[in-house]
Amino acid sequence: MSNALSPLPISASPKRKPEEGMDPMSSNKSARLSIVSEKPQQSVAPNPAEPLLTVRGLQKRFGSHEVIKNIDLEVSPGSVTFLIGPSGGGKSTVLRCMNFLETPSAGEITFAGERLCHTEKGRLHRASDAVLRRARAQMPMVFQHFNLFAHRTALENVIEGPILVLGRPREQAVADGRELLRRVGLLERADAYPAQLSGGQKQRVAIARAVAMEPRLILFDEPTSALDPELVAGVLDTIRSLADENRTMVVVSHEMAFARRLADRVHFVADGVIAESGSPDEIFDAPKNERLKQFIRSILH
Amino acid sequence: MYEFFFVLIPEYMPFLLQGALVTVQISVLSMICAISLGLLVALGRLSNLRVLRAVLAAYVEIWRNVPLIVQLLVIYFSLPQLGISLPGFWAGVLGLSLNVGAYLSEVFRAAILSVEGGQKDAGLSIGMSRVMIYRRVILPQALRIAVPTIGGYFIALLKDSALVSYIAVNELLRHGTIVISNTFKSMEIYLMVAMVYFIISFISARIVAHVERSLTPAYLRVAQAQA
């Protein structure tokens, strides 16, 4: 079964072990560390047992359509969480509620010790815009359709957030931005506009833009779904190299082999609830839920 | 023929050109006001303020569904009843600005909506505020998208400004009618007026096209080259 689930080149090797040569980010470890070490990875959560992100009783309705019925989940620091499941099951909406691109209908979301929203007497109370903006800046999202700023070069896309939101001096942002582009293998394309980049290149710039925020958590919304098949591997390699740095990530993806290899925890989302949760082995090798069994059968075809 | 070129033109063209200068002035002034107004109305209609949105939508609908000449007459003859007495020139600027502004607000709104969506989400997702996103991401792109259409509206405005002759603004067409009422040479004078309008309009169209090209940014040129 595990072989059948692993059609991609990232299959057999053990989890989280960087593969030299394949990985555009691992080519220069000292440079990578220099950026990583500036980041307060250790101070992410004072208590490592405390989850970085907690979602309780999340609900989301669009009009009369209930997309998310009731979702609870926790993301612990340094972990990689995958949300998998059938299309329309609500995975992306869960993700978009976490950073308030969608406002939940009900529920409680806590991020880095700060409550972003809670429900009291049936009414949702959301934190102030300033709090939400601060939270978003610490959990940037990578989108299915990249959503690069079309009028800015690759480098300008990456440095926009650090300069405008984090208030970094321009020279520092440029230096860091170029280093990030180098790590995603796109330094020589730093001055290219999005229209001049392939889908895979755009997505790697978008990942660099997210990492440039020095985030505590990165949200990935189907990062490879809009890519031509031959461009998928490069983007997955980039994401995996982030996992190798013990970054906290929540990933919505249809790449099951990738989920299996990278995930610490997998949630199967269907019909607006988490139908089953577990380690990749539990989910893929010993599914209990009927819908999950059916889903896994269907993706094996 | 001899009379047209060697008597009428030398005699009356300077007077017509004085009028043409007013035509250009009123058009440029009105266009500047209309662009500012149109952009503000577009932003207001995209805001979260429901009352503001409704008021602005009503403005756009009313102004787009009443003939310009009627709007000008209403402004020129009704405002004094309310105690606001505007000279013809400024009544003309007001009328043209409100009219073109209504149309331009729709141009700006469409341009903004064509950029919104994904890029706005991207801005939000790295902690940018709405104002930041508009200033840094959406408006720089939307305004450039709108430039060709704005240019087209300016050429149309130049010609529509002839209507302000009805509210006693001494612009090109009115100077023509003044000459005709003195000379009764209606065919020749109207022909001269037409020639002047053509030349102003033709030159303006060249200028607009040039501005359009120089404002096309690098990111759009590569996109077009690859399309």
Side-chain angles (χ1 to χ4, degrees):
Chain A
M1 188 138 189
S2 79
N3 281 340
L5 271 173
S6 312
L8 282 169
I10 47 167
S11 53
S13 54
K15 273 173 83 179
R16 295 287 186 87
K17 189 172 174 197
E19 281 149 75
E20 301 299 335
M22 230 183 109
D23 181 350
M25 284 198 174
S26 63
S27 52
N28 185 337
K29 279 192 175 150
S30 59
R32 178 171 93 202
L33 287 174
S34 74
I35 281 197
V36 174
S37 60
E38 287 167 21
K39 291 174 7 78
Q41 287 280 343
Q42 305 85 334
S43 62
V44 157
N47 171 7
E50 193 156 301
L52 178 61
L53 178 78
T54 312
V55 176
R56 290 268 166 268
L58 180 69
Q59 295 176 25
K60 176 65 185 176
R61 278 184 303 276
F62 291 104
S64 62
H65 181 48
E66 201 171 26
V67 182
I68 301 177
K69 297 199 177 96
N70 185 11
I71 292 232
D72 296 306
L73 63 84
E74 286 182 356
V75 176
S76 46
S79 72
V80 178
T81 305
F82 269 73
L83 304 181
I84 63 167
S87 299
K91 324 180 280 297
S92 288
T93 309
V94 174
L95 210 63
R96 291 173 63 85
C97 283
M98 287 178 181
N99 67 351
F100 272 74
L101 287 188
E102 304 287 356
T103 303
S105 304
E108 177 169 334
I109 298 177
T110 308
F111 174 70
E114 199 147 30
R115 199 158 65 171
L116 303 186
C117 71
H118 67 283
T119 308
E120 218 175 83
K121 293 175 190 147
R123 259 188 58 118
L124 183 96
H125 298 265
R126 52 185 275 172
S128 69
D129 281 355
V131 169
L132 290 180
R133 277 205 302 277
R134 198 166 62 228
R136 283 194 188 117
Q138 297 178 62
M139 57 168 150
M141 180 180 265
V142 174
F143 298 87
Q144 178 176 2
H145 295 287
F146 331 124
N147 298 357
L148 293 180
F149 305 132
H151 62 317
R152 304 247 182 259
T153 64
L155 179 64
E156 287 167 346
N157 264 279
V158 175
I159 64 177
E160 185 78 3
I163 293 176
L164 246 71
V165 178
L166 303 179
R168 296 272 184 277
R170 191 179 170 83
E171 312 83 76
Q172 189 201 329
V174 168
D176 290 352
R178 291 179 67 82
E179 171 58 19
L180 281 171
L181 285 176
R182 195 191 59 68
R183 289 170 53 203
V184 299
L186 287 173
L187 182 56
E188 73 283 6
R189 304 292 278 148
D191 297 322
Y193 288 97
Q196 296 170 295
L197 300 173
S198 73
Q201 291 174 330
K202 281 183 205 168
Q203 195 60 300
R204 283 185 279 152
V205 172
I207 292 170
R209 174 173 70 180
V211 175
M213 296 306 292
E214 304 184 5
R216 291 178 159 195
L217 170 64
I218 306 179
L219 307 173
F220 290 88
D221 187 7
E222 303 199 20
T224 58
S225 296
L227 296 177
D228 292 338
E230 75 271 20
L231 302 176
V232 169
V235 170
L236 293 185
D237 281 344
T238 306
I239 297 173
R240 197 193 44 216
S241 69
L242 296 177
D244 293 337
E245 297 170 2
N246 281 324
R247 288 177 186 275
T248 318
M249 312 198 283
V250 178
V251 187
V252 169
S253 180
H254 291 291
E255 302 285 344
M256 292 305 139
F258 187 60
R260 181 181 192 110
R261 223 178 89 52
L262 213 63
D264 295 301
R265 193 146 187 88
V266 180
H267 299 289
F268 174 66
V269 181
D271 299 327
V273 297
I274 293 182
E276 188 167 340
S277 298
S279 69
D281 291 344
E282 288 165 355
I283 290 285
F284 292 114
D285 294 338
K288 298 178 196 72
N289 178 280
E290 261 326 300
R291 293 263 352 230
L292 175 57
K293 286 180 189 169
Q294 195 187 342
F295 178 72
I296 286 178
R297 270 199 304 276
S298 73
I299 54 172
L300 289 182
H301 281 286
Chain B
M1 209 49 163
Y2 175 86
E3 192 202 13
F4 181 72
F5 284 107
F6 297 100
V7 179
L8 291 178
I9 287 191
E11 178 78 21
Y12 296 113
M13 192 52 105
F15 184 63
L16 291 185
L17 289 180
Q18 276 177 21
L21 183 65
V22 174
T23 289
V24 171
Q25 284 171 342
I26 204 168
S27 301
V28 170
L29 262 175
S30 302
M31 197 64 194
I32 292 170
C33 297
I35 289 173
S36 321
L37 177 67
L39 186 56
L40 289 176
V41 170
L43 290 173
R45 290 192 68 187
L46 293 166
S47 76
N48 295 326
L49 307 168
R50 198 170 298 175
V51 177
L52 180 67
R53 284 204 312 250
V55 169
L56 295 177
Y59 154 66
V60 171
E61 284 310 314
I62 292 169
W63 259 260
R64 289 200 309 174
N65 287 300
V66 173
L68 174 55
I69 180 69
V70 177
Q71 293 175 22
L72 291 169
L73 292 173
V74 167
I75 288 173
Y76 187 62
F77 290 108
S78 308
L79 283 186
Q81 315 260 328
L82 302 173
I84 307 166
S85 189
L86 285 178
F89 181 85
W90 291 107
V93 169
L94 180 64
L96 292 173
S97 305
L98 287 172
N99 182 262
V100 179
Y103 284 97
L104 286 185
S105 75
E106 289 293 90
V107 173
F108 285 124
R109 205 159 70 100
I112 288 170
L113 288 176
S114 74
V115 180
E116 275 235 18
Q119 293 189 48
K120 184 179 162 197
D121 280 355
L124 289 174
S125 83
I126 55 171
M128 292 168 78
S129 67
R130 269 176 71 91
V131 173
M132 250 181 221
I133 292 170
Y134 264 82
R135 198 167 52 78
R136 298 281 303 176
V137 179
I138 295 175
L139 287 183
Q141 295 179 69
L143 295 182
R144 281 154 175 168
I145 292 170
V147 164
T149 320
I150 294 172
Y153 273 100
F154 177 67
I155 307 298
L157 170 63
L158 262 179
K159 292 173 289 183
D160 289 347
S161 72
L163 291 174
V164 301
S165 62
Y166 279 84
I167 56 172
V169 180
N170 287 313
E171 46 71 78
L172 174 53
L173 178 59
R174 187 168 157 85
H175 274 204
T177 48
I178 290 170
V179 172
I180 289 167
S181 65
N182 291 327
T183 62
F184 303 106
K185 301 253 179 229
S186 51
M187 203 259 302
E188 292 88 341
I189 301 298
Y190 278 137
L191 189 61
M192 283 164 66
V193 168
M195 285 163 52
V196 176
Y197 269 117
F198 173 79
I199 292 167
I200 299 176
S201 189
F202 186 82
I203 294 173
S204 304
R206 294 305 92 140
I207 296 173
V208 165
H210 178 77
V211 169
E212 222 179 282
R213 267 196 306 279
S214 59
L215 279 183
T216 303
Y219 74 92
L220 280 181
R221 278 198 292 270
V222 278
Q224 282 157 7
Q226 288 182 349

